[in-house]
Amino acid sequence: MHQTLVLRNGRVVDPSQGIDRIDDVLVRDGLVVAIGPAETGTDETIDATGLIVAPGLVDMHVHLREPGREEDETIETGTRAALAGGFTSVACIPNTEPPIDTQATVEFIHQKAMRADTCNVFVVGCVSRNREGKELADIGQLVEAGAVAFSDDGAPVYDAELMRRALEYCGMFDKPILAHEEVLELSRGGVMNEGLVSLMLGLAGMPAAAEDVMIGRDTVLAESTGGRLHVMHVSTAGGVGLVRMAKARGVRVTAEACPHHFTLTDETLRGFDSNYKMSPPLRTAADVEAIIAGIVDGTIDCIATDHAPHSPEKKMLELDRAPFGIIGLETAVGLSVTRLVATGRISWPRLIEAMSTLPSRILGINRGTLRPGSVADITLIDPERSWQVDAKSFCSKSVNSPFDRWTLRGRAVATIVAGRVKYRLT
Ligand code: DOR
């Protein structure tokens, strides 16, 4: 018995095929069958009139916290939050406890994800054993277990020689290194961007140079090794410029930006609220503008959340003791639509490219497309829906969002994974 689903009369936006038109999408047995007028009388029909029908969104930077920090998030709650945010796939970052640096841990994640039966979870493995930055993890074995990329995020790969070898070695498997770019001597002790605001508040700063110097180092190492570098959470104008220059030289570099970095500035720290504390930190209005310009011209390939749940007990500490990071899965679409599409800075196809096509391509996963025969991961977005953020009602186990009570435009209303409707906004 075939299982058929028709998404009728939506605006189908699929940058992987250059499609942007009103049409139907026919799904059968978990696969996309066709984009074109569908017959009536199928098993299940969703009226997508007025909605964007996009290849399922992919967030390539998500901290699911399991194993080890289940008080902040679990694979189950984090992937439910992903579905509610419109994501059909996430890549989970390995700064768990223990870190994801063995085949057994990768398998644990895959099993938990299978049991949760929510969205797809692609695993990022550690660059270094135990994330200690001393010796390479067993990259080959991790690839064999299914790791799609490598990262020591939360911290940079500090030793330049280790980074060089990691780029070389991961390059042999055509896997990217997702790099947290920070020179620790420059940022040590800092809680926010170094600048006028940190000076006035008397808070220790993290200068833009701490990020830029490391991006410079890593783009040079990517160039000399031919390895694949993906710069995570770019927050500075200088960083955008360095990535742009490296791309112009033909370096194999890609980059992501987070919604908070193109929405908020360091002025928000004036309230001493730790929900504005993350690494890299919120920067200045000029940096925000440079990041948006980078998204517009493609220097920044994609949008990723850096969803970083921390329980209220931890986040409620004083600013200098609270951990870095905010949640982002359930606000990413609203913030991106509100800040980038509704303002006319980017088109819908560019947004879908940044949230689905390109992260899939960077991770080398067979997602991010509605091409007939591909897995039917699909996100329906109401582009006009205005809604108020209520962090307490989120699926995420943590509530550390600076966007609570914000009114946003644009929201995922249905999330379909392999042809099954996994989330529907009621
Ligand atoms: O703000 C951040 N939080 N930045 C990171 O690099 C790590 C992350 C976390 O794991 O909480």
Side-chain angles (χ1 to χ4, degrees), residues 60-395:
M60 63 181 295
H61 189 160
V62 174
H63 297 272
L64 290 177
R65 301 300 189 213
E66 192 175 355
R69 292 204 12 218
E70 291 81 359
E71 68 279 19
D72 300 330
E73 195 78 283
T74 64
I75 289 167
E76 159 111 41
T77 59
T79 53
R80 284 202 187 288
L83 289 174
F87 294 98
T88 52
S89 294
V90 299
C92 66
I93 303 301
N95 64 337
T96 48
E97 293 167 15
I100 308 173
D101 67 348
T102 62
Q103 287 196 334
T105 322
V106 176
E107 278 159 23
F108 168 84
I109 311 270
H110 283 151
Q111 267 178 24
K112 281 274 180 171
M114 212 189 315
R115 208 171 302 162
D117 195 21
T118 44
C119 71
N120 307 295
V121 176
F122 294 94
V123 178
V124 178
C126 291
V127 171
S128 68
R129 203 180 294 279
N130 206 28
R131 274 185 77 243
E132 281 170 350
K134 293 191 183 128
E135 52 179 336
L136 282 184
D138 291 324
I139 307 275
Q141 290 201 11
L142 291 167
V143 169
E144 207 174 286
V148 295
F150 292 86
S151 180
D152 275 359
D153 177 53
V157 177
Y158 214 62
D159 184 310
E161 168 61 4
L162 193 74
M163 185 60 159
R164 191 166 73 118
R165 281 195 287 123
L167 281 162
E168 261 168 10
Y169 201 49
C170 292
M172 283 163 47
F173 297 100
D174 199 29
K175 302 291 179 210
I177 295 199
L178 319 183
H180 173 117
E181 308 287 22
E182 183 177 0
V183 174
L184 298 172
E185 292 89 351
L186 294 173
S187 61
R188 189 159 287 140
V191 297
M192 67 174 292
N193 179 50
E194 180 182 282
L196 198 58
V197 184
S198 69
L199 194 69
M200 286 163 75
L201 298 178
L203 291 170
M206 307 159 87
E211 187 170 340
D212 299 352
V213 171
M214 208 58 143
I215 294 177
R217 183 199 80 170
D218 287 347
T219 50
V220 169
L221 290 175
E223 185 166 23
S224 65
T225 57
R228 291 180 56 197
L229 172 71
H230 175 80
V231 181
M232 302 175 105
H233 43 42
V234 177
S235 74
T236 64
V240 177
L242 285 160
V243 173
R244 188 177 286 124
M245 284 192 298
K247 283 189 166 184
R249 297 200 302 278
V251 181
R252 299 177 79 196
V253 57
T254 53
E256 73 191 28
C258 306
H260 47 274
H261 287 130
F262 59 69
T263 304
L264 302 171
T265 69
D266 58 357
E267 293 285 342
T268 54
L269 270 301
R270 288 181 187 278
F272 295 93
D273 180 343
S274 69
N275 282 333
Y276 297 95
K277 179 183 176 184
M278 69 287 292
S279 172
L282 300 172
R283 307 278 187 188
T284 67
D287 295 299
V288 168
E289 181 47 40
I291 286 166
I292 294 175
I295 295 170
V296 170
D297 76 7
T299 300
I300 307 260
D301 301 82
C302 54
I303 295 169
T305 65
D306 191 5
H307 179 81
H310 295 285
S311 66
E313 306 84 79
K314 295 176 193 167
K315 263 305 205 186
M316 263 160 53
L317 295 170
E318 310 84 276
L319 204 52
D320 55 340
R321 290 173 63 212
F324 291 100
I326 61 168
I327 56 171
L329 284 166
E330 289 165 90
T331 46
V333 165
L335 287 165
S336 301
V337 174
T338 305
R339 293 282 299 160
L340 304 175
V341 181
T343 53
R345 300 299 299 268
I346 65 171
S347 63
W348 271 100
R350 174 68 188 113
L351 182 73
I352 300 307
E353 183 186 57
M355 297 188 81
S356 179
T357 326
L358 292 181
S360 300
R361 204 171 288 164
I362 293 165
L363 296 175
I365 58 176
N366 57 349
R367 295 296 196 280
T369 181
L370 297 177
R371 213 174 275 283
S374 53
V375 178
D377 286 0
I378 304 173
T379 302
L380 303 191
I381 300 170
D382 183 342
E384 300 302 335
R385 185 183 289 239
S386 170
W387 60 287
Q388 197 182 44
V389 177
D390 176 15
K392 278 195 300 305
S393 72
F394 278 170
C395 298

